[in-house]
PDB file of all heavy atoms in Angstrom:
ATOM      1  N   ALA A  14     -20.498  -4.913  15.285  1.00  0.00           N
ATOM      2  CA  ALA A  14     -21.103  -3.994  16.282  1.00  0.00           C
ATOM      3  C   ALA A  14     -21.255  -4.647  17.650  1.00  0.00           C
ATOM      4  O   ALA A  14     -22.330  -4.836  18.160  1.00  0.00           O
ATOM      5  CB  ALA A  14     -22.449  -3.511  15.753  1.00  0.00           C
ATOM      6  N   GLY A  41     -26.556   4.723   7.891  1.00  0.00           N
ATOM      7  CA  GLY A  41     -26.490   6.164   8.008  1.00  0.00           C
ATOM      8  C   GLY A  41     -25.062   6.651   8.261  1.00  0.00           C
ATOM      9  O   GLY A  41     -24.206   5.885   8.712  1.00  0.00           O
ATOM     10  N   LEU A  42     -24.800   7.920   7.862  1.00  0.00           N
ATOM     11  CA  LEU A  42     -23.523   8.567   8.190  1.00  0.00           C
ATOM     12  C   LEU A  42     -23.820   9.490   9.350  1.00  0.00           C
ATOM     13  O   LEU A  42     -24.401  10.583   9.170  1.00  0.00           O
ATOM     14  CB  LEU A  42     -23.030   9.339   6.961  1.00  0.00           C
ATOM     15  CG  LEU A  42     -21.693  10.071   7.182  1.00  0.00           C
ATOM     16  CD1 LEU A  42     -20.546   9.113   7.417  1.00  0.00           C
ATOM     17  CD2 LEU A  42     -21.381  10.955   5.970  1.00  0.00           C
ATOM     18  N   ASP A  45     -22.877  14.150  15.513  1.00  0.00           N
ATOM     19  CA  ASP A  45     -23.582  14.819  16.630  1.00  0.00           C
ATOM     20  C   ASP A  45     -24.414  15.977  16.042  1.00  0.00           C
ATOM     21  O   ASP A  45     -23.866  16.949  15.512  1.00  0.00           O
ATOM     22  CB  ASP A  45     -22.552  15.360  17.593  1.00  0.00           C
ATOM     23  CG  ASP A  45     -23.187  16.076  18.805  1.00  0.00           C
ATOM     24  OD1 ASP A  45     -24.400  16.343  18.749  1.00  0.00           O
ATOM     25  OD2 ASP A  45     -22.435  16.332  19.770  1.00  0.00           O
ATOM     26  N   GLY A  54     -19.228  18.274   8.436  1.00  0.00           N
ATOM     27  CA  GLY A  54     -18.434  17.167   7.898  1.00  0.00           C
ATOM     28  C   GLY A  54     -19.237  16.191   7.076  1.00  0.00           C
ATOM     29  O   GLY A  54     -18.715  15.588   6.112  1.00  0.00           O
ATOM     30  N   VAL A  57     -19.567  17.662   3.552  1.00  0.00           N
ATOM     31  CA  VAL A  57     -18.300  17.555   2.822  1.00  0.00           C
ATOM     32  C   VAL A  57     -18.075  16.139   2.397  1.00  0.00           C
ATOM     33  O   VAL A  57     -17.746  15.852   1.214  1.00  0.00           O
ATOM     34  CB  VAL A  57     -17.127  18.045   3.727  1.00  0.00           C
ATOM     35  CG1 VAL A  57     -15.785  17.765   3.037  1.00  0.00           C
ATOM     36  CG2 VAL A  57     -17.279  19.515   4.088  1.00  0.00           C
ATOM     37  N   PRO A  66     -31.738  18.851   3.700  1.00  0.00           N
ATOM     38  CA  PRO A  66     -31.685  18.674   5.139  1.00  0.00           C
ATOM     39  C   PRO A  66     -31.417  17.209   5.569  1.00  0.00           C
ATOM     40  O   PRO A  66     -31.611  16.293   4.782  1.00  0.00           O
ATOM     41  CB  PRO A  66     -33.094  19.087   5.582  1.00  0.00           C
ATOM     42  CG  PRO A  66     -33.953  18.849   4.381  1.00  0.00           C
ATOM     43  CD  PRO A  66     -33.095  19.108   3.204  1.00  0.00           C
ATOM     44  N   ALA A  88     -48.202  14.559  15.522  1.00  0.00           N
ATOM     45  CA  ALA A  88     -46.854  13.965  15.677  1.00  0.00           C
ATOM     46  C   ALA A  88     -46.817  12.979  16.882  1.00  0.00           C
ATOM     47  O   ALA A  88     -46.221  11.911  16.756  1.00  0.00           O
ATOM     48  CB  ALA A  88     -45.840  15.076  15.874  1.00  0.00           C
ATOM     49  N   ALA A  89     -47.490  13.380  17.973  1.00  0.00           N
ATOM     50  CA  ALA A  89     -47.515  12.511  19.141  1.00  0.00           C
ATOM     51  C   ALA A  89     -48.176  11.175  18.783  1.00  0.00           C
ATOM     52  O   ALA A  89     -47.687  10.085  19.176  1.00  0.00           O
ATOM     53  CB  ALA A  89     -48.226  13.199  20.289  1.00  0.00           C
ATOM     54  N   ARG A  94     -47.536   5.388  17.341  1.00  0.00           N
ATOM     55  CA  ARG A  94     -47.930   4.268  16.476  1.00  0.00           C
ATOM     56  C   ARG A  94     -46.728   3.671  15.710  1.00  0.00           C
ATOM     57  O   ARG A  94     -46.694   2.501  15.469  1.00  0.00           O
ATOM     58  CB  ARG A  94     -48.980   4.740  15.469  1.00  0.00           C
ATOM     59  CG  ARG A  94     -49.692   3.647  14.712  1.00  0.00           C
ATOM     60  CD  ARG A  94     -51.180   3.849  14.597  1.00  0.00           C
ATOM     61  NE  ARG A  94     -51.606   5.217  14.324  1.00  0.00           N
ATOM     62  CZ  ARG A  94     -51.893   5.689  13.121  1.00  0.00           C
ATOM     63  NH1 ARG A  94     -51.774   4.888  12.062  1.00  0.00           N
ATOM     64  NH2 ARG A  94     -52.290   6.910  12.971  1.00  0.00           N
ATOM     65  N   GLY A  98     -39.202   3.111  14.329  1.00  0.00           N
ATOM     66  CA  GLY A  98     -39.536   2.624  13.012  1.00  0.00           C
ATOM     67  C   GLY A  98     -39.191   3.619  11.934  1.00  0.00           C
ATOM     68  O   GLY A  98     -38.763   4.768  12.226  1.00  0.00           O
ATOM     69  N   THR A 101     -40.179   9.284   9.371  1.00  0.00           N
ATOM     70  CA  THR A 101     -39.579  10.574   9.744  1.00  0.00           C
ATOM     71  C   THR A 101     -40.650  11.634   9.832  1.00  0.00           C
ATOM     72  O   THR A 101     -41.419  11.835   8.886  1.00  0.00           O
ATOM     73  CB  THR A 101     -38.480  10.975   8.728  1.00  0.00           C
ATOM     74  OG1 THR A 101     -37.438  10.025   8.783  1.00  0.00           O
ATOM     75  CG2 THR A 101     -37.929  12.347   9.034  1.00  0.00           C
ATOM     76  N   ALA A 144     -28.108  11.902  10.609  1.00  0.00           N
ATOM     77  CA  ALA A 144     -27.589  10.750   9.824  1.00  0.00           C
ATOM     78  C   ALA A 144     -28.334  10.574   8.548  1.00  0.00           C
ATOM     79  O   ALA A 144     -29.396   9.947   8.488  1.00  0.00           O
ATOM     80  CB  ALA A 144     -27.646   9.477  10.677  1.00  0.00           C
ATOM     81  N   SER A 146     -28.307   8.955   4.574  1.00  0.00           N
ATOM     82  CA  SER A 146     -27.735   7.720   4.045  1.00  0.00           C
ATOM     83  C   SER A 146     -26.260   7.889   3.791  1.00  0.00           C
ATOM     84  O   SER A 146     -25.791   8.948   3.334  1.00  0.00           O
ATOM     85  CB  SER A 146     -28.482   7.319   2.776  1.00  0.00           C
ATOM     86  OG  SER A 146     -28.482   8.395   1.849  1.00  0.00           O
ATOM     87  N   ARG A 152     -25.637   8.594  -5.295  1.00  0.00           N
ATOM     88  CA  ARG A 152     -25.415   7.181  -5.505  1.00  0.00           C
ATOM     89  C   ARG A 152     -26.445   6.323  -4.777  1.00  0.00           C
ATOM     90  O   ARG A 152     -27.180   6.848  -3.911  1.00  0.00           O
ATOM     91  CB  ARG A 152     -23.984   6.802  -5.070  1.00  0.00           C
ATOM     92  CG  ARG A 152     -22.972   7.465  -5.944  1.00  0.00           C
ATOM     93  CD  ARG A 152     -21.619   6.897  -5.942  1.00  0.00           C
ATOM     94  NE  ARG A 152     -21.418   5.561  -5.436  1.00  0.00           N
ATOM     95  CZ  ARG A 152     -21.527   4.430  -6.144  1.00  0.00           C
ATOM     96  NH1 ARG A 152     -21.876   4.472  -7.445  1.00  0.00           N
ATOM     97  NH2 ARG A 152     -21.284   3.276  -5.596  1.00  0.00           N
ATOM     98  N   PRO A 153     -26.515   5.040  -5.123  1.00  0.00           N
ATOM     99  CA  PRO A 153     -27.432   4.171  -4.351  1.00  0.00           C
ATOM    100  C   PRO A 153     -27.088   4.179  -2.882  1.00  0.00           C
ATOM    101  O   PRO A 153     -25.930   4.264  -2.495  1.00  0.00           O
ATOM    102  CB  PRO A 153     -27.170   2.777  -4.966  1.00  0.00           C
ATOM    103  CG  PRO A 153     -26.575   3.017  -6.299  1.00  0.00           C
ATOM    104  CD  PRO A 153     -25.786   4.269  -6.168  1.00  0.00           C
ATOM    105  N   ALA A 210     -53.098  12.145   4.144  1.00  0.00           N
ATOM    106  CA  ALA A 210     -54.068  13.060   3.548  1.00  0.00           C
ATOM    107  C   ALA A 210     -53.992  13.103   2.039  1.00  0.00           C
ATOM    108  O   ALA A 210     -55.011  13.130   1.372  1.00  0.00           O
ATOM    109  CB  ALA A 210     -53.866  14.446   4.108  1.00  0.00           C
ATOM    110  N   ASP A 238     -43.372  -8.721 -18.108  1.00  0.00           N
ATOM    111  CA  ASP A 238     -43.525  -9.557 -19.318  1.00  0.00           C
ATOM    112  C   ASP A 238     -42.525  -9.200 -20.404  1.00  0.00           C
ATOM    113  O   ASP A 238     -42.220 -10.041 -21.250  1.00  0.00           O
ATOM    114  CB  ASP A 238     -44.944  -9.387 -19.894  1.00  0.00           C
ATOM    115  CG  ASP A 238     -45.980 -10.087 -19.029  1.00  0.00           C
ATOM    116  OD1 ASP A 238     -45.582 -10.869 -18.128  1.00  0.00           O
ATOM    117  OD2 ASP A 238     -47.193  -9.860 -19.256  1.00  0.00           O
ATOM    118  N   ALA A 256     -29.760  -7.976 -14.780  1.00  0.00           N
ATOM    119  CA  ALA A 256     -31.233  -7.901 -14.598  1.00  0.00           C
ATOM    120  C   ALA A 256     -31.596  -8.162 -13.140  1.00  0.00           C
ATOM    121  O   ALA A 256     -30.900  -8.874 -12.413  1.00  0.00           O
ATOM    122  CB  ALA A 256     -31.925  -8.926 -15.488  1.00  0.00           C
ATOM    123  N   ALA A 280     -37.184  -4.352  -2.333  1.00  0.00           N
ATOM    124  CA  ALA A 280     -36.740  -3.263  -1.467  1.00  0.00           C
ATOM    125  C   ALA A 280     -35.447  -3.684  -0.717  1.00  0.00           C
ATOM    126  O   ALA A 280     -34.483  -2.933  -0.632  1.00  0.00           O
ATOM    127  CB  ALA A 280     -37.806  -2.879  -0.468  1.00  0.00           C
ATOM    128  N   THR A 289     -23.745  -4.177  -7.143  1.00  0.00           N
ATOM    129  CA  THR A 289     -23.100  -5.378  -7.675  1.00  0.00           C
ATOM    130  C   THR A 289     -22.992  -5.298  -9.192  1.00  0.00           C
ATOM    131  O   THR A 289     -21.937  -5.632  -9.778  1.00  0.00           O
ATOM    132  CB  THR A 289     -23.890  -6.642  -7.258  1.00  0.00           C
ATOM    133  OG1 THR A 289     -23.938  -6.698  -5.856  1.00  0.00           O
ATOM    134  CG2 THR A 289     -23.258  -7.910  -7.818  1.00  0.00           C
TER     135      THR A 289
END
Side-chain angles (χ1 to χ4, degrees):
L42 179 65
D45 181 348
V57 173
R94 192 137 41 97
T101 295
S146 53
R152 295 200 16 89
D238 287 350
T289 299

